[in-house]
Amino acid sequence: MNVKTDGKANGNGSLEGAVVAVAGAGGPAGRATLLRLAEAGATVVGSDADAARLAEAVDAARYAHGGATVTGDTVDLLDLEATRAWAARTEKDFGRIDGMVHLVGGWRGSATFAETDLADWELLEKLLIRTVQHTSLAFEAPLQRSDRGRYLLISAAGASKPTAGNAAYAASKAAAEAWTLALADSFRKAGGEDGPRTAAAILVVKALVHDAMRAERPNAKFAGFTDVKELAEAIAGVWDRPAPEVNGQRLWLSPKP
């Protein structure tokens, strides 16, 4: 693993008092991330398309960390103006935004390349690319106003080594990575000779696993998978590292393919 997740916060990297938005907060990875960021002292603002699932995730984080500020906002991230309004509302309500963690996911695949259904591409383009475009455009300026801004994309190793049955998924992830690296270049240019103050980075996993998956498949090995709690720890750990060190980087949580 190439991601440092232990040790004390480096310089302005502390999450105490930070405000972090989490897109896709209602899923297993989102729940783990809300919990970990709240534990680290951040104010956490989650969004999800599923209001009930989001409410459960927010309540769980609040219950686990009494006194933590964890809120939820049902946002259509396929609507750029709605996403911009969410970013503006968050900055107005809490005074700053120090992070955007993109956890919106989805998967479609086929048995062979020839059987690829382009309807899968149409869905994944929305879930995995359009939501990255909208959140990055909406949150770029607020993150640059922060002294510790981070935009984090969670990606998959398959983007670097597509398989025949995963053409739509791998291509979507690769496009999302390219978009995030372009955001990182924007942060680099804004920093000038002093280097970027704000960072965009990609955390790469083979796949994710959580307790419910293990319970459903008790004999499965899940070899090379990253537990959602480990992912959440790595997400929090990005703030331990200076922006120039992580900006524009792929941070691998699994072996490189």
Side-chain angles (χ1 to χ4, degrees):
M1 183 187 302
N2 295 338
V3 176
K4 172 186 167 186
T5 59
D6 56 3
K8 295 187 180 296
N10 191 333
N12 60 8
S14 171
L15 277 166
E16 189 67 42
V19 178
V20 182
V22 179
R31 290 175 71 107
T33 300
L34 294 187
L35 285 166
R36 182 65 186 90
L37 294 175
E39 180 185 41
T43 291
V44 193
V45 184
S47 79
D48 200 275
D50 187 323
R53 191 170 73 161
L54 176 62
E56 289 179 5
V58 168
D59 286 347
R62 286 176 179 163
Y63 179 79
H65 303 292
T69 300
V70 184
T71 66
D73 209 340
T74 306
V75 181
D76 180 6
L77 297 178
L78 295 178
D79 183 331
L80 177 57
E81 292 313 310
T83 309
R84 288 190 192 277
W86 177 42
R89 187 164 59 248
T90 299
E91 188 172 28
K92 180 181 177 182
D93 289 349
F94 298 103
R96 58 188 296 131
I97 299 176
D98 303 293
M100 156 51 65
V101 181
H102 186 279
L103 290 168
V104 180
W107 180 84
R108 293 289 188 279
S110 57
T112 67
F113 180 79
E115 293 174 274
T116 298
D117 185 346
L118 290 180
D120 292 344
W121 166 260
E122 293 175 7
L123 173 66
L124 294 173
E125 185 272 335
K126 292 183 177 71
L127 290 176
L128 305 183
I129 304 173
R130 195 71 58 82
T131 59
V132 172
Q133 292 172 328
H134 290 175
T135 53
S136 60
L137 290 169
F139 283 85
E140 179 197 19
L143 289 173
Q144 293 217 65
R145 287 190 282 271
S146 167
D147 60 351
R148 47 185 161 172
R150 302 288 186 272
Y151 183 98
L152 302 180
L153 174 72
I154 313 308
S155 191
S160 301
K161 191 175 182 180
T163 56
N166 271 331
Y169 178 75
S172 299
K173 282 294 192 182
E177 288 193 9
W179 188 275
T180 301
L181 294 175
L183 175 64
D185 193 54
S186 173
F187 291 152
R188 179 189 64 80
K189 289 177 177 176
E193 293 182 359
D194 295 333
R197 294 196 327 157
T198 305
I202 302 162
L203 283 80
V204 186
V205 301
K206 175 183 177 181
L208 295 173
V209 64
H210 51 86
D211 292 343
M213 288 174 62
R214 294 190 180 94
E216 290 171 4
R217 299 171 58 194
N219 296 322
K221 300 296 184 184
F222 298 108
F225 284 38
T226 299
D227 190 278
V228 293
K229 298 184 186 71
E230 182 183 351
L231 173 65
E233 189 70 30
I235 288 169
V238 173
W239 275 269
D240 291 346
R241 302 168 62 176
E245 185 179 312
V246 296
N247 187 52
Q249 299 300 309
R250 290 181 175 89
L251 309 174
W252 288 81
L253 300 181
S254 65
K256 293 184 180 181

